[in-house]
Amino acid sequence: MSLPPGFLDDLRTRITLSSIVGRKVTWDQRKSNMAKGDWWAPCPFHQEKSPSFHVDDRKGFYYCFGCHAKGDAVTFLRESENMGFMEAVEVLAREAGMTMPARDPKAAERASRRDQLAEVMEQAARWFRLQLSSNVGAAARDYLDRRRLSEAGRERFGIGFAPDGWQGLWEHLRGRGVDEELILAAGLAKPSNRGGQPYDVFRNRIMFPIRDARGRCTAFGGRAMDPADKAKYLNSPDTELFDKGRSLYNIGPAREAAGKGAPLIVTEGYMDVIALSEAGFGAAVAPLGTAITEDQVRMLWQVHPEPVVMLDGDTAGLRAALRLIDLALPLIEAGQGLRFCTLPRDMDPDDLIRAQGAGAMQKALDGAQPMVTLLWRRETEGKDFDSPERRAALDKTLRAAIGRIRDPSIRAHYGEEMRRLRFDLFGNQPRPRRPRRGDPAPVQSVTRGTLLAAASDEAVADRMREGVILATLALHPQLLPAFESALERMDSADPDHALIRAALLRVDPSDPEGVLHQLGGDARAALEKLMSQSHLLVIPCLRRPGDDDLARNCLAEEFAKLSARRGALAEIEDAMHDMTGLVDEALTWRLSEVARTRERAQTARLSDSAEMGEDRTALSDTLDSLIRSEVWVKKRR
């Protein structure tokens, strides 16, 4: 969504920065000069005792002289509460009494409708809490006491109780003038099939409000008090306000805690989240009764680059993790993955914390394993690989799994890790004889040596091209949609480049003025570092930031050169990988010639992307001919 010109400036003038920051810090009364809008406090972004965090209300900016955090009110909300750019703007706009611009009248109507439904849900949440504290909630309170859930915890999570009656909530809401259609649309009641009044969806259940990232109550989860009830847990149906596949329990508080450095933990249910939060692990979330969806995985990565998925120590927990691996493999990117924490057998997070305390939970989290380890376990545990056929079947399965990874850099690293694990499983291979004088050089030393020698300068050139691309797109965000696919495919080994690339893919290009604010603190710092590099100062499209056509042509050329150069290298590496262990002297010599040919072509520094495309085609044709002629078959002499 784009903002009209001047909206952000108007918003900043209506908001006093100290009033926003003051909710997170305690001002130093001696150092601050409040009359002049000059405020000092210990920094909320790093641990310190001295007041090195400065807020200037007149300029609307803050700066920490310790950790160098800086920004305005939007930046502060984004970094202190882990909000997105537009969400932070919406929060500030509400505080300033400004109306967010709507895209169209229908969008405004839908927003108004969702606000009405959210208000109905809040009324229901208040009524459920009241019932829990009344006589009808005695049994529910006893259950929560047995689960060691404190009064403060119940209040923080808004836990309530739905009495065992057919129309208790319905009559309460109707008595307060709530329209029947709104109650039904909110998923709180169902129409009767017998011609009577609608009846409550939740009856005789402990109630857990489900809130979105903004804190609005969008749905409920109910835990049955009757052991004979067919559904132990029951969630609200999908509504205009609630989509269970795009929602996570406790996402708002978890996002804030993760923004302060807490690990983001994904667990199974409401009580697990509450138990973790009560034990000091505030960044805990749970899906809502279904397997984790692709949308939920993306939500997790918006909060933390590497969430920890907590598995119950049973077979069902492991199966759920393995399903999640298949879902996540095509989505992972550099710096964006999952880790898995397996709990002791037949224990869930609540059980572990109650039995052994928060220290045991921290130890389990410290032992969380990367996704590649769980993938290997899935394909090897309990299986016998005592024949070439079985080993070949394992190789085929692993290649298929790794092939689903879209990011080429991660795909390569997964392949390396699988080869290492495979070597550990099958043991040492027969030791080759020592080379003798007159022997041809082995293919690994000749070909890999040539490729590495050629790649040393190319790696530098690649990083420079990436820098030009990222800097150009940051200065011309309106070109992002045209080059989005190419940017997604651009593999960046440099961590700063990867950070900027990921941030650019998330920004709203229709708001050029707000791009720097959308990037976030770390990405913005990386971009500032990049823009200060001397080689960028002579790039024409960066020296003339107002020339969009020049920038577009520059981006097209640099992307084409990167794609062609890396594609040519990938073809040789793929051929080498497929033929590992099957090569002879003929293949050694021929692949070496291919590598030398490629090296000479690179040395020529072809300036035209079409010429580079021809070079790539020639290499591809050469490799195809090698494969068709079966050069790996030992020739008779």
Side-chain angles (χ1 to χ4, degrees):
M1 175 181 174
S2 60
L3 298 173
F7 183 87
L8 284 177
D9 291 336
D10 190 17
L11 176 62
R12 292 185 183 105
T13 59
R14 298 193 188 193
I15 289 290
T16 303
L17 180 56
S18 60
S19 66
I20 305 298
V21 177
R23 300 167 191 169
K24 300 285 185 180
V25 302
T26 300
W27 300 116
D28 186 284
Q29 301 295 327
R30 293 174 299 177
K31 195 172 182 180
S32 300
N33 188 337
M34 303 171 191
K36 294 184 178 181
D38 190 66
W39 302 81
W40 293 85
C43 180
F45 299 114
H46 77 286
Q47 300 297 322
E48 66 167 3
K49 296 181 179 179
S50 59
S52 62
F53 185 82
H54 178 233
V55 169
D56 189 333
D57 272 341
R58 292 168 299 179
K59 296 180 180 179
F61 280 88
Y62 64 85
Y63 180 76
C64 175
F65 290 85
C67 68
H68 308 296
K70 59 183 178 180
D72 60 3
V74 175
T75 311
F76 185 82
L77 283 183
R78 294 189 67 188
E79 296 185 356
S80 66
E81 300 191 17
N82 213 13
M83 290 185 178
F85 175 77
M86 291 305 300
E87 188 175 4
V89 172
E90 290 176 4
V91 169
L92 293 174
R94 284 199 301 272
E95 299 220 0
M98 296 174 64
T99 302
M100 286 291 292
R103 293 182 179 179
D104 54 56
K106 290 185 178 180
E109 291 176 9
R110 290 192 296 269
S112 175
R113 166 79 169 181
R114 287 193 294 269
D115 288 343
Q116 287 180 307
L117 292 174
E119 175 55 33
V120 173
M121 299 299 281
E122 288 295 349
Q123 291 188 44
R126 288 193 291 269
W127 188 76
F128 287 140
R129 288 200 300 272
L130 182 63
Q131 303 312 301
L132 180 64
S133 62
S134 68
N135 291 336
V136 296
R141 292 196 301 274
D142 289 342
Y143 170 82
L144 295 173
D145 288 339
R146 292 195 299 273
R147 296 297 296 264
R148 301 181 186 177
L149 182 54
S150 66
E151 286 284 349
R154 298 175 200 179
E155 183 67 26
R156 182 164 59 254
F157 286 92
I159 297 173
F161 177 67
D164 190 13
W166 287 96
Q167 291 164 326
L169 178 61
W170 173 268
E171 291 176 352
H172 168 75
L173 293 175
R174 289 295 294 131
R176 296 181 65 86
V178 179
D179 188 81
E180 293 185 5
E181 190 274 334
L182 285 175
I183 303 174
L184 294 169
L188 296 172
K190 292 182 178 179
S192 172
N193 294 327
R194 300 179 180 179
Q197 283 190 328
Y199 58 93
D200 294 346
V201 169
F202 299 100
R203 303 179 303 280
N204 195 26
R205 290 178 179 272
I206 296 175
M207 301 299 291
F208 301 86
I210 299 169
R211 298 183 179 276
D212 62 13
R214 295 167 53 185
R216 299 183 306 177
C217 182
T218 59
F220 290 96
R223 202 271 187 196
M225 290 296 297
D226 184 357
D229 199 300
K230 293 181 180 179
K232 181 178 179 181
Y233 281 95
L234 178 67
N235 289 326
S236 293
D238 284 353
T239 66
E240 299 166 61
L241 198 60
F242 174 64
D243 182 341
K244 70 177 63 177
R246 296 183 178 182
S247 303
L248 290 166
Y249 181 64
N250 198 47
I251 183 62
R255 183 177 63 179
E256 183 173 352
K260 296 177 181 177
L264 179 61
I265 305 169
V266 186
T267 187
E268 186 175 347
Y270 311 113
M271 289 306 299
D272 293 330
V273 168
I274 294 171
L276 285 164
S277 297
E278 291 282 273
F281 303 94
V285 298
L288 302 168
T290 60
I292 295 179
T293 66
E294 183 175 319
D295 288 322
Q296 288 170 329
V297 171
R298 296 188 188 281
M299 286 178 65
L300 293 171
W301 282 330
Q302 289 175 356
V303 175
H304 195 283
E306 202 171 44
V308 178
V309 180
M310 189 158 287
L311 311 174
D312 291 354
D314 54 21
T315 304
L318 183 58
R319 281 200 303 266
L322 298 181
R323 287 194 300 268
L324 177 55
I325 288 174
D326 288 330
L327 175 72
L329 275 175
L331 307 177
I332 55 178
E333 297 179 359
Q336 178 176 290
L338 299 173
R339 296 185 76 86
F340 292 84
C341 172
T342 305
L343 298 181
R345 189 168 187 83
D346 297 326
M347 297 189 82
D348 60 25
D350 191 20
D351 296 329
L352 180 61
I353 291 171
R354 285 198 289 170
Q356 302 179 31
M361 176 56 66
Q362 184 60 57
K363 184 177 180 180
L365 288 170
D366 293 340
Q369 297 177 319
M371 193 160 66
V372 65
T373 303
L374 227 63
L375 176 60
W376 174 258
R377 285 178 54 190
R378 179 179 75 177
E379 304 303 341
T380 57
E381 275 190 357
K383 299 178 182 178
D384 192 356
F385 301 101
D386 61 351
S387 70
E389 293 83 2
R390 290 180 176 180
R391 294 186 183 190
L394 173 64
D395 293 344
K396 182 178 180 180
T397 302
L398 291 175
R399 279 197 301 269
I402 295 172
R404 300 182 63 229
I405 301 173
R406 296 170 186 165
D407 188 305
S409 174
I410 297 181
R411 192 164 59 241
H413 285 295
Y414 263 66
E416 290 175 6
E417 181 65 9
M418 289 301 175
R419 284 192 288 274
R420 185 190 68 79
L421 292 169
R422 188 182 185 280
F423 181 82
D424 291 343
L425 176 64
F426 296 145
N428 293 335
Q429 303 297 323
R431 181 176 295 176
R433 68 176 177 86
R434 296 181 66 180
R436 301 170 183 169
R437 182 174 298 178
D439 283 351
V443 66
Q444 288 88 349
S445 63
V446 173
T447 308
R448 290 185 184 174
T450 305
L451 289 175
L452 288 173
S456 61
D457 291 335
E458 291 166 0
V460 175
D462 277 2
R463 284 196 296 273
M464 293 176 69
R465 285 201 176 100
E466 289 175 5
V468 172
I469 288 170
L470 295 171
T472 304
L473 287 173
L475 293 177
H476 300 266
Q478 63 273 20
L479 298 180
L480 276 167
F483 293 94
E484 183 177 14
S485 297
L487 186 61
E488 287 176 344
R489 293 192 300 269
M490 189 177 81
D491 174 33
S492 300
D494 186 297
D496 282 347
H497 287 186
L499 184 65
I500 299 169
R501 168 187 168 275
L504 285 173
L505 288 170
R506 291 193 299 266
V507 304
D508 178 7
S510 61
D511 179 25
E513 294 182 357
V515 164
L516 289 180
H517 294 296
Q518 296 180 58
L519 287 181
D522 291 340
R524 191 162 57 250
L527 181 61
E528 290 174 357
K529 177 181 173 183
L530 172 65
M531 297 292 283
S532 66
Q533 295 179 11
S534 58
H535 73 273
L536 293 181
L537 301 178
V538 298
I539 305 298
C541 63
L542 298 178
R543 293 174 62 187
R544 302 203 306 245
D547 194 333
D548 288 350
D549 290 337
L550 181 62
R552 185 179 292 105
N553 293 336
C554 174
L555 288 169
E557 181 179 356
E558 296 303 329
F559 273 124
K561 288 180 179 179
L562 270 183
S563 177
R565 212 284 299 171
R566 290 176 173 174
L569 178 59
E571 292 186 17
I572 293 177
E573 290 176 341
D574 288 346
M576 290 174 59
H577 177 269
D578 291 341
M579 298 174 188
T580 299
L582 301 173
V583 298
D584 70 352
E585 294 89 340
L587 181 58
T588 297
W589 180 83
R590 295 184 189 190
L591 278 180
S592 300
E593 287 302 304
V594 172
R596 291 191 187 100
T597 299
R598 181 181 171 278
E599 186 177 25
R600 289 194 297 271
Q602 291 297 330
T603 304
R605 298 293 180 187
L606 298 177
S607 61
D608 189 279
S609 60
E611 290 175 343
M612 183 65 81
E614 292 171 3
D615 180 44
R616 180 181 175 185
T617 303
L619 288 170
S620 179
D621 292 342
T622 302
L623 289 170
D624 287 342
S625 67
L626 290 175
I627 294 170
R628 285 196 300 272
S629 60
E630 297 183 85
V631 295
W632 54 86
V633 176
K634 190 73 175 179
K635 304 297 188 297
R636 294 182 180 274
R637 295 187 177 178

